[in-house]
Amino acid sequence: MISLKKPSAGIIDPWGSTEIESYERLLEEFGIQPLNGVADKLPHKPSFIRRKIIFGHRDFERIVNAINNKQSFVVMSGIKPSGPLHIGHILTLREMVFFQEMGGTVFYCVADIEAYEDNGISFEESGEIAVDNLADALALGLDPTRAYIYRQSKENDVKDLAFIFARSVTLSTIEAIYGVRHMGLYMSALVQAGDILLPQLKRFGGPKPTLVPVGIDQDPHIRLCRDLAHKFREKFGFILPSATYHKIIRGLDGSPKMSKRNPMSYFTLAEDVESVAYKLRNAFTGGRPTAKEQKELGGEPEKCPIFDLYKFFFIEDDEKLLEIYMKCKNGEILCGEDKAFAIEVVTSFIKEHQRKKQSLIDKSRAILSLD
Amino acid sequence: MISLKKPSAGIIDPWGSTEIESYERLLEEFGIQPLNGVADKLPHKPSFIRRKIIFGHRDFERIVNAINNKQSFVVMSGIKPSGPLHIGHILTLREMVFFQEMGGTVFYCVADIEAYEDNGISFEESGEIAVDNLADALALGLDPTRAYIYRQSKENDVKDLAFIFARSVTLSTIEAIYGVRHMGLYMSALVQAGDILLPQLKRFGGPKPTLVPVGIDQDPHIRLCRDLAHKFREKFGFILPSATYHKIIRGLDGSPKMSKRNPMSYFTLAEDVESVAYKLRNAFTGGRPTAKEQKELGGEPEKCPIFDLYKFFFIEDDEKLLEIYMKCKNGEILCGEDKAFAIEVVTSFIKEHQRKKQSLIDKSRAILSLD
């Protein structure tokens, strides 16, 4: 079941806060395939696949086959330059890096048209933000020599694809997918379809398998784009793009999704470590009302944003993760102690990341031709 | 009163067939000013102004003042390359040429995005059509040395303005103006706002008075564009564009508007003169059922498409036009005789035009960089 804030019921809203109550229902309702068996054919499974954080897909077999047959494929994602990346973005970036390591060419899109249409951020301002965001991606291992990195607002082919696609998108289609929005968001949705299909243009060697790793809240864009790829298959020879869907990490405050509206729900990659520590110390947990109860009943790691952080990002070793899980479950460890550990792990990651990133700002600026 | 085919009542439809029953009511309903006094300040009044074929305007004083004070201004229009120009297009082209002669710089837009969105014409195909259309304009006196001539699909600033404007256009606004249409037409409407405001960008010397001479059926575009110019005035310094509105010539078959759906209602500038003569010979007129009645009661030139042709395009001399009017009105001339005269006038114009145009095709191709 999906409950929603903005558009009418039954619509996933990529620009709002979508609360996912059951991923299983979602697979059924939207025709997304469970990951299971397909992923087993991968030569290597990172934690976000082993742990079913990526839980579903469309046409992912096509990418797995390309990997196993050493055929060329693309992994593409758009990063909206609306501010410093928050911790949740790490997942998408790691997915891009992983599929790049598996042989994929990365298409990294600075979604500055969306940042303008959705957030009113000017192209000058979003250029600066994009430099910062891209430096994060480089620090996380993105190899720019095997990537095409571009800004939507400067990429004429992407805008032109939007104009070409528009003729076949009725008002009722776009309204059914996105609800009643202003023209800018509709146009930016068409531009995103252009982004996803850009790698398949002649200029980049023509049709090829393309994977878009996204959070489940972005599925409307994937559906629209696959529909357009199908409609324009004859003209461009498009292969329907593939997608993997990851779960949405809950907010540190226990809310269903990290949100800019509530700074206590998330931290950014650029944040002061003191501030990160403060937020972690004050985070919601899966703990019981009293220490006594927790020792008796054990904690509830399934409900715990701190445990989510380990599972999504910070503990790669499955045995280590299981150990924490069991200790919590058995009441052997209390939330205060666990938070102290989390603060150590997270802040040392952040410090190291910021150090690396700092040395990559100039490179990032040069790649985006903003120097 | 405006009666409509496609969108809901009260909307003028620039992409459909709008029947105008009373121009006076239209002035009232949409806040268009009657031409009257403003036009008297022009140093020279061509027949289409003397005869109130241009019957209304928005902010035309600004252009008249620029003309009288020898200040720079722009006259801009978009020609949709969907086929050979029909006789009705002469009016818009003559308006452009007239205001160019009055000192204006022409912006001539090949509306190929609209031709694609509205008519499904590919950019390759519309390029060829545009060459033909522009040669017509040159033959009618357009001076390319004092004009900026461009194709929408190649003009990034125009497309970018559309993206910039989109954020402030709600779905209900665009639906109220244009009715329920596909995304392509909505986007092409925003692109046209970009066309009209293009001459005011820094690149062309910044804000300046801009006149858009249009048929009344294009007023929705003007209203949307003026609204956007107002909203983005602070950012770009836009001066609200001015417009003049001309009447829509009725079809040769007596229908309210020439329409491609009915070839007997119009002829093109590229048409075989035999075919033109055939259509004129079979045209509806303001004549009576019998010659006897016509001699007694006289004809009705107000209802007559043939008389319209004289008035709109082919007889510049007011006394000559009045003479024909009176002879018809008094029953001194019958429709057969008058049609023979019309055929002579029109076909000799067409022949001469085609001769001139033929010699301008290469120039047109070069201007559009399509050689």
Side-chain angles (χ1 to χ4, degrees):
Chain A
M1 260 296 291
I2 307 152
S3 67
L4 297 138
K5 297 278 151 65
K6 234 170 183 174
S8 57
I11 299 175
I12 309 183
D13 177 11
W15 298 300
S17 52
T18 308
E19 300 175 18
I20 311 293
E21 290 169 25
S22 155
Y23 285 100
E24 285 67 31
R25 282 284 290 273
L26 223 120
L27 295 178
E28 259 176 58
E29 267 179 56
F30 290 94
I32 294 172
Q33 300 296 311
L35 200 66
N36 300 345
V38 192
D40 290 338
K41 296 181 198 146
L42 281 169
H44 163 60
K45 292 207 285 179
S47 63
F48 51 79
I49 289 184
R50 295 197 306 273
R51 293 170 192 166
K52 301 243 171 77
I53 289 165
I54 294 183
F55 67 98
H57 74 95
R58 296 186 195 268
D59 283 350
F60 185 45
E61 302 91 341
R62 185 172 290 143
I63 304 300
V64 176
N65 290 340
I67 291 173
N68 290 326
N69 300 327
K70 307 219 178 300
Q71 285 161 346
S72 71
F73 71 98
V74 160
V75 50
M76 95 74 52
S77 187
I79 307 288
K80 185 170 78 170
S82 59
L85 294 186
H86 68 66
I87 189 67
H89 288 109
I90 283 191
L91 187 53
T92 304
L93 293 172
R94 283 187 177 163
E95 286 169 25
M96 289 175 88
V97 169
F98 169 71
F99 288 107
Q100 189 181 45
E101 285 167 354
M102 293 291 105
T105 301
V106 163
F107 274 63
Y108 177 106
C109 159
V110 175
D112 58 357
I113 290 182
E114 190 182 11
Y116 169 76
E117 306 293 3
D118 192 17
N119 309 89
I121 295 173
S122 74
F123 296 112
E124 297 74 39
E125 197 185 336
S126 61
E128 285 308 305
I129 298 171
V131 167
D132 185 79
N133 294 171
L134 177 58
D136 281 318
L138 299 176
L140 288 166
L142 184 79
D143 176 1
T145 66
R146 285 173 44 227
Y148 182 72
I149 298 164
Y150 69 93
R151 297 159 73 194
Q152 278 177 331
S153 66
K154 300 287 177 196
E155 193 69 29
N156 290 325
D157 280 343
V158 157
K159 291 182 277 183
D160 287 349
L161 282 175
F163 281 108
I164 289 169
F165 294 158
R167 181 173 154 77
S168 70
V169 179
T170 64
L171 179 57
S172 54
T173 297
I174 203 140
E175 212 179 312
I177 299 178
Y178 296 108
V180 173
R181 316 306 284 262
H182 61 63
M183 278 295 298
L185 284 177
Y186 289 159
M187 282 172 75
S188 94
L190 292 174
V191 168
Q192 282 178 62
D195 288 319
I196 295 173
L197 294 168
L198 177 73
Q200 300 201 39
L201 295 187
K202 265 194 199 145
R203 185 185 151 201
F204 294 105
K208 58 180 71 63
T210 303
L211 174 69
V212 195
V214 291
I216 181 62
D217 55 339
Q218 302 299 308
D219 186 47
H221 295 314
I222 302 293
R223 273 179 287 148
L224 176 65
C225 181
R226 282 170 58 91
D227 184 44
L228 289 168
H230 183 79
K231 280 181 178 154
F232 288 84
R233 199 160 45 171
E234 207 171 316
K235 184 173 168 59
F236 293 97
F238 290 140
I239 295 169
L240 260 62
S242 309
T244 53
Y245 299 96
H246 61 245
K247 292 179 182 172
I248 307 298
I249 189 169
R250 76 194 93 197
L252 297 177
D253 57 349
S255 58
K257 188 182 172 185
M258 291 182 174
S259 161
K260 283 208 173 167
R261 279 168 218 106
N262 181 6
M264 288 302 283
S265 75
Y266 73 101
F267 54 89
T268 78
L269 296 178
E271 201 157 325
D272 189 282
V273 288
E274 300 307 319
S275 168
V276 175
Y278 176 81
K279 288 179 181 178
L280 292 173
R281 210 154 20 238
N282 288 284
F284 175 86
T285 67
R288 306 289 177 178
T290 65
K292 183 166 174 287
E293 269 183 79
Q294 185 150 356
K295 280 179 191 161
E296 281 170 22
L297 298 170
E300 298 181 287
E302 299 83 2
K303 292 184 180 173
C304 181
I306 298 286
F307 187 77
D308 260 13
L309 286 179
Y310 300 149
K311 184 173 135 190
F312 274 68
F313 311 120
F314 292 108
I315 296 183
E316 183 65 21
D317 181 336
D318 289 345
E319 278 182 36
K320 174 85 184 155
L321 186 74
L322 184 63
E323 188 192 321
I324 295 176
Y325 179 87
M326 294 311 297
K327 276 191 177 164
C328 170
K329 208 71 184 160
N330 298 336
E332 288 171 53
I333 186 173
L334 293 184
C335 294
E337 192 187 338
D338 188 50
K339 278 178 170 177
F341 175 66
I343 289 168
E344 194 194 303
V345 169
V346 174
T347 58
S348 71
F349 167 82
I350 292 276
K351 267 188 233 164
E352 174 60 13
H353 176 80
Q354 291 179 354
R355 194 192 55 73
K356 268 195 233 165
K357 175 182 164 180
Q358 204 45 50
S359 70
L360 291 159
I361 289 282
D362 289 348
K363 189 173 193 172
S364 169
R365 191 176 293 280
I367 290 170
L368 292 169
S369 305
L370 280 161
D371 44 354
Chain B
M1 260 297 293
I2 307 153
S3 67
L4 297 138
K5 297 279 151 66
K6 234 170 183 176
S8 58
I11 299 175
I12 309 183
D13 176 12
W15 297 301
S17 52
T18 308
E19 300 174 19
I20 311 294
E21 289 170 24
S22 156
Y23 286 100
E24 286 66 33
R25 282 284 288 275
L26 222 120
L27 296 178
E28 259 176 58
E29 268 180 54
F30 290 94
I32 294 171
Q33 300 296 310
L35 199 66
N36 299 346
V38 193
D40 290 338
K41 296 182 199 147
L42 281 169
H44 163 60
K45 293 206 285 179
S47 63
F48 52 79
I49 290 184
R50 296 196 305 273
R51 293 171 193 166
K52 302 241 172 78
I53 289 164
I54 295 182
F55 67 97
H57 74 94
R58 296 185 195 268
D59 283 351
F60 185 46
E61 303 89 342
R62 184 173 287 142
I63 304 300
V64 176
N65 290 339
I67 291 173
N68 289 325
N69 300 328
K70 308 221 178 294
Q71 286 162 345
S72 71
F73 71 98
V74 161
V75 49
M76 97 74 51
S77 187
I79 307 289
K80 185 170 80 171
S82 59
L85 294 185
H86 68 65
I87 189 66
H89 287 109
I90 284 192
L91 187 53
T92 305
L93 294 173
R94 283 186 177 163
E95 286 169 26
M96 288 175 88
V97 170
F98 169 71
F99 288 108
Q100 189 181 45
E101 284 167 355
M102 293 291 104
T105 301
V106 163
F107 274 64
Y108 177 106
C109 159
V110 175
D112 58 358
I113 290 182
E114 191 182 11
Y116 169 75
E117 306 293 2
D118 192 16
N119 309 88
I121 296 173
S122 73
F123 295 114
E124 297 74 39
E125 197 186 339
S126 61
E128 284 308 305
I129 299 171
V131 167
D132 185 78
N133 295 171
L134 178 59
D136 282 318
L138 299 175
L140 288 166
L142 184 78
D143 176 0
T145 65
R146 287 174 45 228
Y148 182 72
I149 298 164
Y150 69 94
R151 297 159 73 193
Q152 279 178 331
S153 66
K154 301 287 177 195
E155 193 69 30
N156 290 324
D157 280 343
V158 158
K159 291 181 277 183
D160 287 349
L161 282 175
F163 281 108
I164 290 168
F165 295 157
R167 181 174 154 76
S168 71
V169 178
T170 64
L171 179 57
S172 54
T173 297
I174 203 140
E175 212 180 312
I177 299 179
Y178 296 109
V180 174
R181 315 307 284 263
H182 60 64
M183 279 295 296
L185 283 177
Y186 290 159
M187 282 172 76
S188 95
L190 292 173
V191 167
Q192 281 176 64
D195 288 318
I196 296 174
L197 295 168
L198 177 72
Q200 300 201 39
L201 296 187
K202 265 194 199 141
R203 184 185 151 202
F204 295 105
K208 58 181 71 65
T210 303
L211 175 68
V212 194
V214 291
I216 181 62
D217 55 338
Q218 302 299 308
D219 187 47
H221 296 315
I222 302 292
R223 275 179 284 147
L224 175 65
C225 181
R226 282 170 58 91
D227 184 45
L228 289 167
H230 183 80
K231 280 180 178 153
F232 289 85
R233 200 159 44 171
E234 208 171 313
K235 184 171 168 61
F236 292 97
F238 290 139
I239 294 170
L240 260 61
S242 308
T244 53
Y245 298 96
H246 61 244
K247 293 179 182 171
I248 307 298
I249 190 168
R250 75 194 92 198
L252 296 178
D253 58 348
S255 59
K257 189 183 171 184
M258 290 181 174
S259 161
K260 283 209 175 168
R261 278 168 219 106
N262 181 4
M264 287 303 282
S265 75
Y266 74 100
F267 54 90
T268 78
L269 295 179
E271 201 157 325
D272 189 283
V273 287
E274 301 307 319
S275 167
V276 175
Y278 176 80
K279 288 178 182 180
L280 292 174
R281 209 153 22 236
N282 288 284
F284 175 85
T285 67
R288 305 290 175 178
T290 64
K292 184 167 172 288
E293 268 183 78
Q294 183 148 357
K295 280 176 190 164
E296 280 170 22
L297 299 169
E300 296 181 287
E302 300 82 2
K303 292 184 179 172
C304 180
I306 298 288
F307 187 77
D308 260 15
L309 286 179
Y310 299 149
K311 185 173 135 189
F312 274 66
F313 310 120
F314 291 108
I315 296 183
E316 183 64 21
D317 182 336
D318 289 346
E319 279 182 36
K320 175 83 184 158
L321 186 72
L322 185 63
E323 188 192 320
I324 295 176
Y325 179 87
M326 294 310 297
K327 276 191 180 167
C328 170
K329 208 71 184 160
N330 298 337
E332 287 171 54
I333 186 174
L334 294 185
C335 294
E337 193 187 339
D338 188 49
K339 278 179 169 175
F341 175 67
I343 289 168
E344 194 195 305
V345 170
V346 174
T347 58
S348 71
F349 166 82
I350 292 277
K351 267 188 231 164
E352 175 61 12
H353 176 79
Q354 290 179 353
R355 194 191 55 73
K356 267 194 233 166
K357 176 182 164 180
Q358 204 45 48
S359 69
L360 291 159
I361 290 283
D362 288 349
K363 190 172 193 174
S364 169
R365 191 176 293 279
I367 291 170
L368 291 169
S369 305
L370 280 161
D371 45 354

